[in-house]
Amino acid sequence: MSRIDPHSFADDAQPRVRRLDLDVDLDFDRRVLSGEAVLTLAGAGEGPLDLDTKGLAIRTVATEGGTAVPFELADEEPILGRRLRLTLPSGTRRVAIRYETSPEAVALQWLDPAQTAGGAHPFLYSQCQAIHARTLIPLQDTPAIRVTYGAALTVPDPLSAVMSAGPAGDRPGPRPGTRTFLFEMPQPIPSYLFALAAGRLAARDLSPRARVHAEPEVVETAAREFAGVEEMIRTAERLFGPYPWERYDLLVLPPSFPYGGMENPRMTFLTPTVITGDRSLVDVVAHELAHSWTGNLVTNATMEHFWLNEGATTWAERRILEALHGEETAVLSWAIGETALKLAFERFGVDSPLTKLRTDLKGVDPDDAFSSIPYEKGSRFFALLERAAGRERFDRFVGDYIDRFRFTSITSEAFLAFLDERLPGLSASVRAGEWLSATGMPSNAPVFRSTRLEELTGLAARFADGTRPDPAAVARWTPSETLVYLQHVPRPLPGAACAGLESLFGFLGQGNHELLVEGLTIAAASDWEPAFVRIRDVLLSVGRMKYLRPLFKALGGHPRTRALAREIYAAARPRYHALSRRVVESTLAAYPT
Ligand SMILES: [Zn+2]
């Protein structure tokens, strides 16, 4: 036997699942999914088939013909969960597993009506990355294996269900007061891209192939915010080839969603914090859209090669932004990424093995390894390759890479081999081995500069000697310019300086969460009391990990702010996603005692 992924029980010597047919009931009262998963194998199988499960109660397993299949759930392993071993009778093509999820399933967040914009109906959404699909479905939960799927989701009236798949109609449910929504996903996906949501939903078309879904209270604002998405898709197509998933829909979730966006194919899941009214945070959409090629089409074989997904996508995102808004915008985006990278190196330490691109995650929970490093160090490696090869040649290489590996899952080593084949000598000339296997940042990392960036960082550096930007100029700054400036302002600050920043930027009243949270982070680190109410508001309403981590970390500097942080977390915890809780708890645990 050989395991193909340190985070899965999937075994190379066993049959591969090729298709999944799911028929489940979404029980909002008990907070469980129950029903049946039918797995179709790539060929007739026999003997052991190991599947990943976590928290699933397995009721029965049977072949297509109804023969009971012996099964055994192994003991729980801390990161992986429980191996479900089926013993398939000779000639098995399909097995049906009747099962139920646990109310604690990490992949699912069940929201009370009070946590939604409408306030009247519950809401459910899934987040399977990195290895949480196994809390939802018994399957080979590794990105090395792809499946197509069909699904029937039964929800109580008046809710509706959506999936990262093609809608295939709906019908009255098996019980009065329920409705069953049908889906078909013809393109094979890795398990972490399986996604569903259910709630009171409305939709608006953005173009013939793009639509935004959200709660009815939010959908009009969302449609205005994302009106430019078709132009973005066309720009991405000019760079990376025809859009391969037919539709590009967006789902705006309630604010507890732990990520900015999740690139579920055909339907990106988004935090509502990207809705600012001025379209200034649509770079999150550029990122998720870019995943349609890098990540979803060409996928990392395991989480040890996550930089292939995120580094390529962050580089692609900035190419889309550059094509849409010019080089200056892209440089500011690289600069904002540089700050995130610096914080990630501080968090792990530059010598940590988690600062390598190609990681060794045996015994490591991928959620603990998650950071900006695969995104920002990875994208810098791509940018270095682009500069060394020249843009035209590198763009041709990227096109060939996407064509060669579409609908497959690859390793870092396979990427390098392909690079050597298509652009011989390039990987050696940029010391690719060091980029992949060494900790910290290689000395030949590309630098992104512009006059505007130097002005802003120079101005921020002179903050300490009392230099302040001219208020009339500040009023004309773009949100990215303001963010770069604020990120470079030193901290902690005296109270008077915090008040000065507030009068210049009005960050307490900001609707743009990037600026709001950066301002609040400065205030938190400075123990500046006038911001406490707003800090509490934000932390009680938003579950996006990108904001929780720095804000809770900044509250760790003073006894008074530490007490505030603990008090806020006690109140916010029930509203946070399980992933967000882990981030906050590890941040609070690092506070000085
Ligand atoms: Zn991404």
Side-chain angles (χ1 to χ4, degrees), residues 70-413:
F71 67 91
E72 175 208 333
L73 267 177
D75 289 342
E76 176 93 18
E77 289 192 27
I79 298 166
L80 275 68
R82 299 180 75 180
R83 186 194 69 197
L84 172 64
R85 173 165 288 177
L86 314 183
T87 305
L88 306 176
S90 162
T92 303
R93 298 291 303 239
R94 304 177 90 194
V95 276
I97 304 171
R98 296 205 64 82
Y99 74 101
E100 184 170 294
T101 62
S102 145
E104 275 76 53
V106 173
L108 296 175
Q109 191 174 16
W110 303 87
L111 301 177
D112 293 327
Q115 288 171 275
T116 65
H121 300 282
F123 199 101
L124 170 69
Y125 67 84
S126 71
Q127 166 59 38
C128 287
Q129 198 176 33
I131 54 167
H132 307 303
R134 67 196 62 183
T135 68
L136 201 55
I137 311 162
L139 77 181
Q140 292 166 319
D141 190 12
T142 167
I145 294 176
R146 287 172 176 265
V147 297
T148 59
Y149 69 84
L153 306 183
T154 298
V155 299
D157 291 333
L159 307 191
S160 56
V162 291
M163 288 192 81
S164 58
D170 58 274
R171 60 182 184 218
R175 291 177 312 286
T178 63
R179 195 149 196 91
T180 300
F181 292 82
L182 305 172
F183 303 90
E184 180 61 37
M185 185 60 179
Q187 291 119 342
I189 56 146
S191 52
Y192 76 87
L193 291 177
F194 185 90
L196 61 86
R200 190 95 167 100
L201 290 168
R204 293 288 179 273
D205 281 333
L206 303 170
S207 84
R209 60 176 160 179
R211 181 176 297 164
V212 63
H213 301 256
E215 287 187 73
E217 295 75 13
V218 180
V219 75
E220 297 298 344
T221 337
R224 278 196 297 277
E225 193 79 18
F226 303 121
V229 80
E230 179 61 30
E231 192 194 350
M232 199 178 259
I233 301 171
R234 287 187 191 160
T235 305
E237 286 186 310
R238 280 194 289 276
L239 289 164
F240 311 117
Y243 179 72
W245 303 90
E246 296 170 48
R247 293 202 57 87
Y248 184 72
D249 291 349
L250 303 161
L251 172 65
V252 179
L253 292 165
S256 66
F257 187 56
Y259 290 101
M262 177 64 209
E263 66 269 23
N264 299 314
R266 289 171 178 245
M267 185 176 282
T268 284
F269 282 23
L270 281 174
T271 166
T273 61
V274 298
I275 299 177
T276 57
D278 62 7
R279 300 181 189 169
S280 58
L281 295 183
V282 292
D283 52 346
V284 171
V285 177
H287 181 94
E288 307 313 332
L289 173 64
H291 269 305
S292 305
W293 291 268
T294 49
N296 298 1
L297 198 55
V298 182
T299 306
N300 53 210
T302 75
M303 289 304 290
E304 295 180 324
H305 311 279
F306 190 48
W307 75 275
L308 277 174
N309 274 14
E310 296 304 345
T313 298
T314 304
W315 169 82
E317 164 203 335
R318 291 179 186 148
R319 287 292 302 274
I320 295 173
L321 291 181
E322 184 189 312
L324 282 172
H325 306 299
E327 209 183 326
E328 191 68 71
T329 302
V331 170
L332 291 178
S333 177
W334 283 105
I336 291 163
E338 185 80 35
T339 302
L341 183 62
K342 212 179 284 173
L343 291 172
F345 279 127
E346 272 171 31
R347 179 176 142 218
F348 291 135
V350 283
D351 298 328
S352 161
L354 292 178
T355 66
K356 296 176 181 179
L357 284 183
R358 201 282 191 220
T359 49
D360 175 3
L361 296 182
K362 261 178 239 70
V364 180
D365 188 325
D367 289 328
D368 292 336
F370 183 84
S371 79
S372 294
I373 288 165
Y375 295 72
E376 295 299 338
K377 185 177 175 182
S379 58
R380 278 162 179 73
F381 180 52
F382 270 85
L384 177 67
L385 291 171
E386 179 191 338
R387 286 183 183 184
R391 179 168 278 192
E392 246 175 72
R393 277 177 80 214
F394 190 65
D395 283 2
R396 261 199 314 277
F397 165 80
V398 170
D400 291 348
Y401 165 70
I402 291 167
D403 278 349
R404 167 68 183 78
F405 295 106
R406 52 193 286 125
F407 293 113
T408 69
S409 304
I410 74 161
T411 61
S412 308
E413 293 73 26

Side-chain angles (χ1 to χ4, degrees), residues 414-438:
F415 173 82
L416 280 194
F418 187 69
L419 185 65
D420 281 336
E421 177 194 317
R422 293 304 163 101
L423 296 171
L426 187 70
S427 72
S429 78
V430 301
R431 309 200 306 268
E434 184 189 338
W435 274 84
L436 261 63
S437 310

